[in-house]
Amino acid sequence: MTNPKPKSIIPNRLISWLDVLAITAWGILLLRYWLTGKLNLLIHPNYFGLVIVTGIILIFVGCLKAQELWRRRQRDIVPNTQHISLFAPGWGSCLLLTAAILGFIITPQVFASDKALQRGVTTDLLGTSRIKPQAFRATVRPEERSLVDWVRTLNVYPEPDSYTGQKVKVQGFVIHPPDLGKKYLFLARFVLSCCAADAYPVGLPVKLEKNQDRYSPDTWLEVEGQMITEEVGGKRQLTIAANSLKKIPQPQNPYSY
Amino acid sequence: MNQLNNGFTIFLSLLVEAMPFLLLGVLFSSVLLLFVDERKLVERMPRNPLLGALVGSMIGFVFPVCECGNVPVARRLLMQGVPTPVAIGFLLAAPTINPIVIWATWSAFRDQPEIVVLRVVFSLSIATILGFVFSSQKDLSPIVQPAIARYLKFNPPAKPASKKRGNRYQIEQQATAPSLLQSGTYILGGKAGFSTRIETNLIEANTPNSSTRKPLADKLRLLVDNSIQELRELGAVMIIGSAIAAAIQVLAPRDLILSLGAGPISSIVTMLILAVVVSICSTVDSFFALSFASTFSTGSLLAFLVFGPMIDIKSVGLMLSIFKPRTIFYLFVIAAQLTFLFTLFINLHVL
């Protein structure tokens, strides 16, 4: 134990440096997402603080270890050979490092209509069962409700007729579900309750005056109009009758919470 | 290409969300490793089987270790003469009944608080029941590995009657012994030539004693070392788990997921299998489960969250250092059945 074979020292030291590299890389990656504003594509803003502090601690821990390794470079390093276990030495840090490097190279992207369709957005408002009325405010004027507010309101009181004639002004991106007729498009937003892994699309169908092909999928629109009840996809459903559709740039933070 | 990027975004989001909780768990257990004197705790364990199982299940609240850390701790608990129900209760419940895991679960399922509460209640119940069941086994040698059985034979735990003498003996013997809390570490000592002396020597080389004599700088260094080791091990498991979750989300046909996830029985069975296969750490498994939240029944999500931390491929490997395969099989089967029944009840009667 006290006299480890010289040739075993080099790989062990390498593994220690690999640990330092992997942990520091993750710290930098987390802070980078925060500083470049990409963090809101990945997680709910409630957890930004946690992620930032984690990034700082990881860098700190990495630096502490690096300093120690550097100071001890003249002496033998006796690694914890009894420490286990699941992976061969070096594998764990290699995986961590690889994931961090991929994180640096590939930019996370905003989910779009393909993801929404894959998640199963249809006219039956899939996902509404998860929308609790936590942000529901009875006093909100109809035209001030966001798309998510509308879906939440509808979830609390699902009779479409009771909203008929109310004014609407909402923003979202365009989806063309296959079962929706040519006269309609589906306006959706992704809702994030924790992280991108649980992002789910919600939205409402929009009845167009003209053919929907004018708006390709993923176009962001601001739709103004009023609520009507329509038979969409074989189901009576609250629908926006659009008076005006305005193309808008993708919002800084495309998700709702 | 787009799908690949979607998958990668999900993968990254899972990692970014889970990393703080993983770090917190790792730091917490490393701090405990250095600053908690667990032997006092061992002495106070109740001898009553049911009470012991319940108390054992709840120790996790004081020792927040996940399922990689609890196995070595449970092993030492057994070897220090803690009653079997306490050790088994701890082994099964500690990864779930601990503040960090509860917080992580709450973060993931803020809009379904019932999942957080039921996860704790079910885990506690199942661990207590299993601990109680195993209390009927008075002689441990048929269920534990020969090495541990031999150790217990030659180092019988102090009987309550001779407690004082026993304690002194234990304390003397343990003056150089390692701390109980070695979360994330697993000492390879189960071979035929196993002896306590050797093991003590082995561990002494790298494990901090719980003594307070060490200077702070040394403690800090050990804390950093231990944290790095755990981060490396658990982080790697987390990456594999997140990759599986992301791949399932992107690649699995939606119709299949919907049909599996909606059935009260099929959803539970699917999630039980997934829990065993994925082997993701309990501090971060709620985020994994979250990615199935919109398609799978509440009961099945609970099945994943309750059963996964108790038994999965990774922990079976570690548990082989304590128990014989047959014992693990019993633990596995009973835990799976209880989880199935509890969560089926939720699926059919509540939500």
Side-chain angles (χ1 to χ4, degrees), chain A residues 47-188:
Chain A
Y47 304 110
F48 281 14
L50 271 180
V51 171
I52 295 163
V53 172
T54 304
I56 294 169
I57 293 179
L58 287 178
I59 293 174
F60 179 70
V61 167
C63 290
L64 267 184
K65 183 71 188 170
Q67 190 198 14
E68 188 207 325
L69 283 174
W70 185 252
R71 256 193 289 146
R72 296 184 145 225
R73 69 193 189 281
Q74 300 303 329
R75 282 188 275 159
D76 287 347
I77 294 170
V78 184
N80 292 335
T81 42
Q82 291 84 31
H83 194 276
I84 28 162
S85 58
L86 299 164
F87 301 101
W91 266 92
S93 0
C94 277
L95 262 178
L96 273 171
L97 192 60
T98 312
I101 291 170
L102 284 176
F104 279 112
I105 299 172
I106 306 172
T107 317
Q109 73 174 21
V110 183
F111 292 145
S113 59
D114 61 329
K115 170 80 179 159
L117 285 174
Q118 198 249 343
R119 280 258 159 147
V121 83
T122 54
T123 47
D124 63 354
L125 296 177
L126 185 121
T128 50
S129 62
R130 291 201 64 213
I131 295 209
K132 296 281 162 68
Q134 60 231 19
F136 178 69
R137 282 166 295 154
T139 50
V140 169
R141 290 180 3 190
E143 59 268 39
E144 286 174 2
R145 282 184 197 139
S146 71
L147 200 52
V148 180
D149 287 337
W150 270 107
V151 177
R152 285 194 173 123
T153 312
L154 199 60
N155 198 42
V156 176
Y157 191 73
E159 174 49 53
D161 284 336
S162 58
Y163 306 99
T164 303
Q166 291 190 356
K167 282 185 181 169
V168 194
K169 186 180 174 186
V170 288
Q171 299 179 341
F173 65 90
V174 175
I175 306 177
H176 292 176
D179 57 343
L180 216 57
K182 280 277 179 195
K183 285 190 299 182
Y184 303 89
L185 60 80
F186 198 87
L187 198 69

Side-chain angles (χ1 to χ4, degrees), chain B residues 328-350:
Chain B
I328 298 173
F329 178 74
Y330 289 150
L331 283 173
F332 181 93
V333 170
I334 304 173
Q337 283 174 338
L338 286 173
T339 313
F340 181 80
L341 289 177
F342 282 13
T343 52
L344 186 65
F345 177 78
I346 295 296
N347 267 359
L348 294 181
H349 291 279
V350 184

Side-chain angles (χ1 to χ4, degrees), chain B residues 264-278:
Chain B
I265 293 176
S266 65
S267 63
I268 295 177
V269 173
T270 310
M271 283 311 239
L272 283 177
I273 295 171
L274 208 58
V276 175
V277 173
V278 170

Side-chain angles (χ1 to χ4, degrees), chain B residues 31-264:
Chain B
V31 167
L32 284 169
L33 170 69
L34 296 176
F35 297 101
V36 169
D37 184 4
E38 72 291 338
R39 285 197 291 273
K40 285 183 182 150
L41 195 85
V42 171
E43 287 163 21
R44 289 182 190 168
M45 285 301 115
R47 303 268 146 185
N48 175 292
L50 196 60
L51 195 64
L54 186 65
V55 170
S57 305
M58 294 203 292
I59 306 176
F61 213 85
V62 198
F63 288 168
V65 288
C66 71
E67 64 260 48
C68 324
N70 69 335
V71 175
V73 177
R75 185 168 183 264
R76 296 212 72 80
L77 279 172
L78 265 180
M79 290 172 78
Q80 294 198 357
V82 148
T84 325
V86 177
I88 291 194
F90 174 80
L91 182 71
L92 297 178
T96 314
I97 315 293
N98 84 51
I100 293 165
V101 172
I102 293 172
W103 185 30
T105 315
W106 189 77
S107 306
F109 291 100
R110 265 178 315 158
D111 52 351
Q112 289 166 283
E114 66 274 11
I115 287 193
V116 186
V117 176
L118 289 173
R119 180 180 197 189
V120 172
V121 172
F122 286 178
S123 300
L124 201 59
S125 314
I126 294 172
T128 309
I129 292 171
L130 268 163
F132 185 64
V133 166
F134 274 81
S135 70
S136 59
Q137 180 74 32
K138 297 292 178 217
D139 177 19
L140 284 184
S141 48
I143 63 169
V144 297
Q145 287 290 354
I148 295 182
R150 210 175 308 129
Y151 176 86
L152 286 172
K153 194 176 160 195
F154 292 113
N155 302 278
K159 294 274 184 299
S162 59
K163 204 176 173 187
K164 202 175 169 189
R165 196 174 61 86
N167 278 348
R168 191 181 302 146
Y169 167 70
Q170 273 196 332
I171 289 165
E172 276 168 14
Q173 203 201 21
Q174 286 162 349
T176 54
S179 159
L180 176 68
L181 260 173
Q182 293 195 60
S183 62
T185 58
Y186 164 48
I187 312 303
L188 294 163
K191 294 280 156 54
F194 177 93
S195 86
T196 46
R197 195 60 223 163
I198 288 171
E199 197 199 37
T200 310
N201 280 340
L202 274 176
I203 304 164
E204 228 178 335
N206 67 345
T207 309
N209 199 329
S210 57
S211 77
T212 47
R213 277 168 293 162
K214 285 186 187 298
L216 195 69
D218 274 10
K219 281 192 169 185
L220 191 68
R221 192 173 60 81
L222 287 165
L223 191 139
V224 169
D225 278 354
N226 196 64
S227 305
I228 289 176
Q229 278 175 348
E230 290 200 14
L231 268 180
R232 174 217 295 151
E233 293 290 333
L234 305 184
V237 177
M238 179 174 79
I239 284 175
I240 294 173
S242 304
I244 294 175
I248 292 177
Q249 272 213 16
V250 176
L251 300 178
R254 184 169 170 75
D255 291 342
L256 176 76
I257 299 254
L258 273 182
S259 62
L260 281 177

Side-chain angles (χ1 to χ4, degrees), chain A residues 15-29:
Chain A
I15 287 168
S16 296
W17 278 110
L18 207 60
D19 286 347
V20 169
L21 210 60
I23 285 168
T24 318
W26 263 100
I28 295 170
L29 183 67

